[in-house]
C-alpha cells in the first residue's frame, strides 16, 4: 500500500517502479513493471484506488499483484486579495456585496474545486470607519485552506469636508 500526493495542478502519474519497489527476483535484478489500469489520475481519484501491477523479469517470467494506492490532495488554494472601499449609506451601514467580494478576492487558483469562501467582515457601520483588516479563507473540497488579508476601508458618502 502506498500514499501519494497529487501535484499542485491536481494530477499525478503513478510511478510504477515505486509501487513495485518491494518486488524481487531470485535470478536477476532487472525487473520491468506494467499495468493495464490507468496510470494518470486527478482530483476525481482522491481516496483509495487499486491497480494490478505486472512484474516481468529478464527471462520473461511474469507475476502480478494488486496494489492499493491512496491519493491525497495537500495543496491549499492560492488566493490573492485586494484592498476595497465601502461607502456607507445614509443610515451609516455598508454591505460587502458579491461585486465587492469578487473585487477583494481578486483570484483563486484551486485544482480540485472550492468548497466555500468566507470573509471575516461582511457588513460595516459607523463603528468601522476607516481601515479594517479583512481576512478571507477559501476551503477546497479536500479540506485544504488558503488565507489572505486585505484592508477594507469604510467611508461616509454624506459627510461633507
Amino acid at each position: 500500500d502506498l500514499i501519494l500526493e497529487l501535484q499542485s495542478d491536481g494530477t499525478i502519474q503513478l510511478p510504477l517502479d515505486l509501487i513495485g519497489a518491494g518486488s524481487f527476483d531470485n535470478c536477476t535484478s532487472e525487473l520491468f513493471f506494467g499495468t493495464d489500469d490507468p496510470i494518470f489520475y486527478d482530483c476525481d481519484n482522491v481516496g483509495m484506488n487499486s491497480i494490478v501491477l505486472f512484474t516481468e523479469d529478464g527471462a520473461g517470467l511474469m507475476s502480478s499483484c494488486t496494489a492499493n494506492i491512496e491519493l491525497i490532495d495537500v495543496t491549499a488554494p492560492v488566493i490573492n486579495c485586494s484592498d476595497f472601499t465601502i461607502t456607507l449609506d445614509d443610515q451609516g451601514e455598508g454591505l460587502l456585496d458579491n461585486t465587492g467580494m469578487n473585487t477583494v478576492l481578486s483570484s483563486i487558483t484551486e485544482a480540485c474545486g472550492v468548497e466555500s469562501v468566507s470573509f471575516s467582515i461582511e457588513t460595516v457601520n459607523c463603528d468601522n470607519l476607516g481601515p479594517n483588516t479583512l481576512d478571507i479563507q477559501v476551503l477546497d473540497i479536500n479540506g485544504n485552506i488558503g488565507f489572505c488579508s486585505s484592508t477594507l476601508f469604510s467611508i461616509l458618502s454624506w459627510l461633507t469636508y
Side-chain angles (χ1 to χ4, degrees):
D1 292 353
L2 193 60
I3 298 174
L4 298 174
E5 296 176 1
L6 294 176
Q7 300 172 119
S8 62
D9 68 353
T11 64
I12 190 169
Q13 179 179 350
L14 296 182
L16 296 182
D17 56 336
L18 179 62
I19 297 167
S23 302
F24 66 92
D25 184 84
N26 59 356
C27 294
T28 180
S29 62
E30 186 176 355
L31 296 175
F32 305 97
F33 300 103
T35 184
D36 290 334
D37 295 313
I39 60 169
F40 294 99
Y41 288 84
D42 61 22
C43 296
D44 293 337
N45 305 105
V46 168
M48 193 59 70
N49 298 270
S50 295
I51 69 164
V52 175
L53 182 69
F54 298 102
T55 305
E56 182 178 353
D57 67 11
L61 298 173
M62 296 183 71
S63 181
S64 67
C65 67
T66 299
N68 294 313
I69 300 154
E70 183 177 0
L71 297 179
I72 58 175
D73 171 22
V74 296
T75 304
V78 176
I79 60 178
N80 294 304
C81 298
S82 302
D83 294 342
F84 188 70
T85 299
I86 290 182
T87 303
L88 302 183
D89 61 20
D90 58 358
Q91 305 296 314
E93 296 176 348
L95 173 67
L96 187 61
D97 61 10
N98 285 339
T99 301
M101 289 180 182
N102 288 335
T103 301
V104 170
L105 187 56
S106 51
S107 70
I108 301 175
T109 303
E110 171 48 43
C112 292
V114 172
E115 178 76 24
S116 64
V117 178
S118 61
F119 294 80
S120 62
I121 302 171
E122 292 186 14
T123 59
V124 291
N125 58 36
C126 291
D127 294 335
N128 307 105
L129 284 177
N132 300 275
T133 299
L134 175 62
D135 295 318
I136 301 168
Q137 175 178 302
V138 176
L139 174 69
D140 76 13
I141 63 171
N142 294 307
N144 302 300
I145 301 172
F147 298 96
C148 69
S149 293
S150 66
T151 301
L152 179 65
F153 294 95
S154 57
I155 60 173
L156 298 171
S157 65
W158 43 268
L159 186 62
T160 57
Y161 295 95

mmCIF file with all atom_site columns, all heavy atoms in Angstrom, residues 49-64:
data_model
loop_
_atom_site.group_PDB
_atom_site.id
_atom_site.type_symbol
_atom_site.label_atom_id
_atom_site.label_alt_id
_atom_site.label_comp_id
_atom_site.label_asym_id
_atom_site.label_entity_id
_atom_site.label_seq_id
_atom_site.pdbx_PDB_ins_code
_atom_site.Cartn_x
_atom_site.Cartn_y
_atom_site.Cartn_z
_atom_site.occupancy
_atom_site.B_iso_or_equiv
_atom_site.pdbx_formal_charge
_atom_site.auth_seq_id
_atom_site.auth_comp_id
_atom_site.auth_asym_id
_atom_site.auth_atom_id
_atom_site.pdbx_PDB_model_num
ATOM 1   N N   . ASN A 1 49 ? -7.454 3.755   -4.306  1.00 0.00 ? 49 ASN A N   1
ATOM 2   C CA  . ASN A 1 49 ? -7.513 3.218   -5.666  1.00 0.00 ? 49 ASN A CA  1
ATOM 3   C C   . ASN A 1 49 ? -6.717 1.914   -5.680  1.00 0.00 ? 49 ASN A C   1
ATOM 4   O O   . ASN A 1 49 ? -5.725 1.782   -4.965  1.00 0.00 ? 49 ASN A O   1
ATOM 5   C CB  . ASN A 1 49 ? -6.874 4.191   -6.665  1.00 0.00 ? 49 ASN A CB  1
ATOM 6   C CG  . ASN A 1 49 ? -7.602 5.517   -6.723  1.00 0.00 ? 49 ASN A CG  1
ATOM 7   O OD1 . ASN A 1 49 ? -8.517 5.691   -7.490  1.00 0.00 ? 49 ASN A OD1 1
ATOM 8   N ND2 . ASN A 1 49 ? -7.192 6.465   -5.881  1.00 0.00 ? 49 ASN A ND2 1
ATOM 9   N N   . SER A 1 50 ? -7.137 0.971   -6.504  1.00 0.00 ? 50 SER A N   1
ATOM 10  C CA  . SER A 1 50 ? -6.412 -0.292  -6.645  1.00 0.00 ? 50 SER A CA  1
ATOM 11  C C   . SER A 1 50 ? -5.991 -0.474  -8.094  1.00 0.00 ? 50 SER A C   1
ATOM 12  O O   . SER A 1 50 ? -6.759 -0.175  -9.015  1.00 0.00 ? 50 SER A O   1
ATOM 13  C CB  . SER A 1 50 ? -7.290 -1.481  -6.242  1.00 0.00 ? 50 SER A CB  1
ATOM 14  O OG  . SER A 1 50 ? -7.603 -1.415  -4.876  1.00 0.00 ? 50 SER A OG  1
ATOM 15  N N   . ILE A 1 51 ? -4.774 -0.950  -8.285  1.00 0.00 ? 51 ILE A N   1
ATOM 16  C CA  . ILE A 1 51 ? -4.315 -1.310  -9.620  1.00 0.00 ? 51 ILE A CA  1
ATOM 17  C C   . ILE A 1 51 ? -3.672 -2.683  -9.552  1.00 0.00 ? 51 ILE A C   1
ATOM 18  O O   . ILE A 1 51 ? -3.188 -3.108  -8.500  1.00 0.00 ? 51 ILE A O   1
ATOM 19  C CB  . ILE A 1 51 ? -3.313 -0.294  -10.222 1.00 0.00 ? 51 ILE A CB  1
ATOM 20  C CG1 . ILE A 1 51 ? -1.978 -0.322  -9.483  1.00 0.00 ? 51 ILE A CG1 1
ATOM 21  C CG2 . ILE A 1 51 ? -3.885 1.098   -10.262 1.00 0.00 ? 51 ILE A CG2 1
ATOM 22  C CD1 . ILE A 1 51 ? -0.858 0.361   -10.248 1.00 0.00 ? 51 ILE A CD1 1
ATOM 23  N N   . VAL A 1 52 ? -3.686 -3.370  -10.687 1.00 0.00 ? 52 VAL A N   1
ATOM 24  C CA  . VAL A 1 52 ? -2.978 -4.641  -10.797 1.00 0.00 ? 52 VAL A CA  1
ATOM 25  C C   . VAL A 1 52 ? -1.637 -4.328  -11.446 1.00 0.00 ? 52 VAL A C   1
ATOM 26  O O   . VAL A 1 52 ? -1.570 -3.782  -12.547 1.00 0.00 ? 52 VAL A O   1
ATOM 27  C CB  . VAL A 1 52 ? -3.777 -5.666  -11.623 1.00 0.00 ? 52 VAL A CB  1
ATOM 28  C CG1 . VAL A 1 52 ? -2.956 -6.941  -11.818 1.00 0.00 ? 52 VAL A CG1 1
ATOM 29  C CG2 . VAL A 1 52 ? -5.106 -5.971  -10.944 1.00 0.00 ? 52 VAL A CG2 1
ATOM 30  N N   . LEU A 1 53 ? -0.565 -4.651  -10.739 1.00 0.00 ? 53 LEU A N   1
ATOM 31  C CA  . LEU A 1 53 ? 0.795  -4.396  -11.203 1.00 0.00 ? 53 LEU A CA  1
ATOM 32  C C   . LEU A 1 53 ? 1.383  -5.700  -11.722 1.00 0.00 ? 53 LEU A C   1
ATOM 33  O O   . LEU A 1 53 ? 1.344  -6.729  -11.039 1.00 0.00 ? 53 LEU A O   1
ATOM 34  C CB  . LEU A 1 53 ? 1.646  -3.853  -10.058 1.00 0.00 ? 53 LEU A CB  1
ATOM 35  C CG  . LEU A 1 53 ? 3.092  -3.497  -10.402 1.00 0.00 ? 53 LEU A CG  1
ATOM 36  C CD1 . LEU A 1 53 ? 3.138  -2.273  -11.307 1.00 0.00 ? 53 LEU A CD1 1
ATOM 37  C CD2 . LEU A 1 53 ? 3.876  -3.238  -9.124  1.00 0.00 ? 53 LEU A CD2 1
ATOM 38  N N   . PHE A 1 54 ? 1.892  -5.656  -12.954 1.00 0.00 ? 54 PHE A N   1
ATOM 39  C CA  . PHE A 1 54 ? 2.560  -6.808  -13.546 1.00 0.00 ? 54 PHE A CA  1
ATOM 40  C C   . PHE A 1 54 ? 4.069  -6.597  -13.436 1.00 0.00 ? 54 PHE A C   1
ATOM 41  O O   . PHE A 1 54 ? 4.561  -5.495  -13.671 1.00 0.00 ? 54 PHE A O   1
ATOM 42  C CB  . PHE A 1 54 ? 2.187  -6.964  -15.024 1.00 0.00 ? 54 PHE A CB  1
ATOM 43  C CG  . PHE A 1 54 ? 0.727  -7.203  -15.243 1.00 0.00 ? 54 PHE A CG  1
ATOM 44  C CD1 . PHE A 1 54 ? -0.107 -6.183  -15.669 1.00 0.00 ? 54 PHE A CD1 1
ATOM 45  C CD2 . PHE A 1 54 ? 0.174  -8.459  -15.022 1.00 0.00 ? 54 PHE A CD2 1
ATOM 46  C CE1 . PHE A 1 54 ? -1.455 -6.394  -15.868 1.00 0.00 ? 54 PHE A CE1 1
ATOM 47  C CE2 . PHE A 1 54 ? -1.176 -8.679  -15.223 1.00 0.00 ? 54 PHE A CE2 1
ATOM 48  C CZ  . PHE A 1 54 ? -1.997 -7.643  -15.650 1.00 0.00 ? 54 PHE A CZ  1
ATOM 49  N N   . THR A 1 55 ? 4.776  -7.645  -13.084 1.00 0.00 ? 55 THR A N   1
ATOM 50  C CA  . THR A 1 55 ? 6.235  -7.606  -13.000 1.00 0.00 ? 55 THR A CA  1
ATOM 51  C C   . THR A 1 55 ? 6.780  -8.682  -13.922 1.00 0.00 ? 55 THR A C   1
ATOM 52  O O   . THR A 1 55 ? 6.311  -9.817  -13.914 1.00 0.00 ? 55 THR A O   1
ATOM 53  C CB  . THR A 1 55 ? 6.707  -7.872  -11.560 1.00 0.00 ? 55 THR A CB  1
ATOM 54  O OG1 . THR A 1 55 ? 6.070  -6.957  -10.685 1.00 0.00 ? 55 THR A OG1 1
ATOM 55  C CG2 . THR A 1 55 ? 8.207  -7.719  -11.439 1.00 0.00 ? 55 THR A CG2 1
ATOM 56  N N   . GLU A 1 56 ? 7.763  -8.293  -14.730 1.00 0.00 ? 56 GLU A N   1
ATOM 57  C CA  . GLU A 1 56 ? 8.401  -9.256  -15.629 1.00 0.00 ? 56 GLU A CA  1
ATOM 58  C C   . GLU A 1 56 ? 9.909  -9.190  -15.391 1.00 0.00 ? 56 GLU A C   1
ATOM 59  O O   . GLU A 1 56 ? 10.488 -8.108  -15.293 1.00 0.00 ? 56 GLU A O   1
ATOM 60  C CB  . GLU A 1 56 ? 8.087  -8.904  -17.082 1.00 0.00 ? 56 GLU A CB  1
ATOM 61  C CG  . GLU A 1 56 ? 8.664  -9.883  -18.073 1.00 0.00 ? 56 GLU A CG  1
ATOM 62  C CD  . GLU A 1 56 ? 8.295  -9.550  -19.519 1.00 0.00 ? 56 GLU A CD  1
ATOM 63  O OE1 . GLU A 1 56 ? 7.473  -8.637  -19.752 1.00 0.00 ? 56 GLU A OE1 1
ATOM 64  O OE2 . GLU A 1 56 ? 8.842  -10.211 -20.405 1.00 0.00 ? 56 GLU A OE2 1
ATOM 65  N N   . ASP A 1 57 ? 10.525 -10.367 -15.294 1.00 0.00 ? 57 ASP A N   1
ATOM 66  C CA  . ASP A 1 57 ? 11.978 -10.382 -15.096 1.00 0.00 ? 57 ASP A CA  1
ATOM 67  C C   . ASP A 1 57 ? 12.680 -10.472 -16.445 1.00 0.00 ? 57 ASP A C   1
ATOM 68  O O   . ASP A 1 57 ? 12.039 -10.532 -17.498 1.00 0.00 ? 57 ASP A O   1
ATOM 69  C CB  . ASP A 1 57 ? 12.398 -11.510 -14.148 1.00 0.00 ? 57 ASP A CB  1
ATOM 70  C CG  . ASP A 1 57 ? 12.178 -12.907 -14.693 1.00 0.00 ? 57 ASP A CG  1
ATOM 71  O OD1 . ASP A 1 57 ? 11.894 -13.062 -15.904 1.00 0.00 ? 57 ASP A OD1 1
ATOM 72  O OD2 . ASP A 1 57 ? 12.309 -13.859 -13.905 1.00 0.00 ? 57 ASP A OD2 1
ATOM 73  N N   . GLY A 1 58 ? 14.005 -10.505 -16.416 1.00 0.00 ? 58 GLY A N   1
ATOM 74  C CA  . GLY A 1 58 ? 14.795 -10.538 -17.645 1.00 0.00 ? 58 GLY A CA  1
ATOM 75  C C   . GLY A 1 58 ? 14.592 -11.792 -18.475 1.00 0.00 ? 58 GLY A C   1
ATOM 76  O O   . GLY A 1 58 ? 14.857 -11.800 -19.675 1.00 0.00 ? 58 GLY A O   1
ATOM 77  N N   . ALA A 1 59 ? 14.105 -12.867 -17.868 1.00 0.00 ? 59 ALA A N   1
ATOM 78  C CA  . ALA A 1 59 ? 13.863 -14.130 -18.580 1.00 0.00 ? 59 ALA A CA  1
ATOM 79  C C   . ALA A 1 59 ? 12.452 -14.193 -19.153 1.00 0.00 ? 59 ALA A C   1
ATOM 80  O O   . ALA A 1 59 ? 12.085 -15.193 -19.773 1.00 0.00 ? 59 ALA A O   1
ATOM 81  C CB  . ALA A 1 59 ? 14.100 -15.300 -17.633 1.00 0.00 ? 59 ALA A CB  1
ATOM 82  N N   . GLY A 1 60 ? 11.642 -13.144 -18.932 1.00 0.00 ? 60 GLY A N   1
ATOM 83  C CA  . GLY A 1 60 ? 10.282 -13.130 -19.461 1.00 0.00 ? 60 GLY A CA  1
ATOM 84  C C   . GLY A 1 60 ? 9.246  -13.750 -18.548 1.00 0.00 ? 60 GLY A C   1
ATOM 85  O O   . GLY A 1 60 ? 8.086  -13.886 -18.935 1.00 0.00 ? 60 GLY A O   1
ATOM 86  N N   . LEU A 1 61 ? 9.625  -14.133 -17.341 1.00 0.00 ? 61 LEU A N   1
ATOM 87  C CA  . LEU A 1 61 ? 8.662  -14.688 -16.394 1.00 0.00 ? 61 LEU A CA  1
ATOM 88  C C   . LEU A 1 61 ? 7.880  -13.537 -15.761 1.00 0.00 ? 61 LEU A C   1
ATOM 89  O O   . LEU A 1 61 ? 8.445  -12.502 -15.406 1.00 0.00 ? 61 LEU A O   1
ATOM 90  C CB  . LEU A 1 61 ? 9.382  -15.504 -15.322 1.00 0.00 ? 61 LEU A CB  1
ATOM 91  C CG  . LEU A 1 61 ? 10.160 -16.711 -15.831 1.00 0.00 ? 61 LEU A CG  1
ATOM 92  C CD1 . LEU A 1 61 ? 10.976 -17.335 -14.714 1.00 0.00 ? 61 LEU A CD1 1
ATOM 93  C CD2 . LEU A 1 61 ? 9.223  -17.720 -16.460 1.00 0.00 ? 61 LEU A CD2 1
ATOM 94  N N   . MET A 1 62 ? 6.578  -13.741 -15.617 1.00 0.00 ? 62 MET A N   1
ATOM 95  C CA  . MET A 1 62 ? 5.707  -12.670 -15.133 1.00 0.00 ? 62 MET A CA  1
ATOM 96  C C   . MET A 1 62 ? 5.008  -13.065 -13.847 1.00 0.00 ? 62 MET A C   1
ATOM 97  O O   . MET A 1 62 ? 4.741  -14.227 -13.594 1.00 0.00 ? 62 MET A O   1
ATOM 98  C CB  . MET A 1 62 ? 4.665  -12.285 -16.190 1.00 0.00 ? 62 MET A CB  1
ATOM 99  C CG  . MET A 1 62 ? 5.257  -11.695 -17.447 1.00 0.00 ? 62 MET A CG  1
ATOM 100 S SD  . MET A 1 62 ? 4.001  -11.176 -18.618 1.00 0.00 ? 62 MET A SD  1
ATOM 101 C CE  . MET A 1 62 ? 3.328  -9.774  -17.791 1.00 0.00 ? 62 MET A CE  1
ATOM 102 N N   . SER A 1 63 ? 4.672  -12.030 -13.077 1.00 0.00 ? 63 SER A N   1
ATOM 103 C CA  . SER A 1 63 ? 3.899  -12.184 -11.863 1.00 0.00 ? 63 SER A CA  1
ATOM 104 C C   . SER A 1 63 ? 3.040  -10.929 -11.735 1.00 0.00 ? 63 SER A C   1
ATOM 105 O O   . SER A 1 63 ? 3.325  -9.909  -12.361 1.00 0.00 ? 63 SER A O   1
ATOM 106 C CB  . SER A 1 63 ? 4.825  -12.340 -10.664 1.00 0.00 ? 63 SER A CB  1
ATOM 107 O OG  . SER A 1 63 ? 4.070  -12.509 -9.484  1.00 0.00 ? 63 SER A OG  1
ATOM 108 N N   . SER A 1 64 ? 2.007  -11.000 -10.913 1.00 0.00 ? 64 SER A N   1
ATOM 109 C CA  . SER A 1 64 ? 1.161  -9.815  -10.720 1.00 0.00 ? 64 SER A CA  1
ATOM 110 C C   . SER A 1 64 ? 0.682  -9.749  -9.280  1.00 0.00 ? 64 SER A C   1
ATOM 111 O O   . SER A 1 64 ? 0.666  -10.748 -8.563  1.00 0.00 ? 64 SER A O   1
ATOM 112 C CB  . SER A 1 64 ? -0.034 -9.832  -11.667 1.00 0.00 ? 64 SER A CB  1
ATOM 113 O OG  . SER A 1 64 ? -0.913 -10.888 -11.349 1.00 0.00 ? 64 SER A OG  1
#
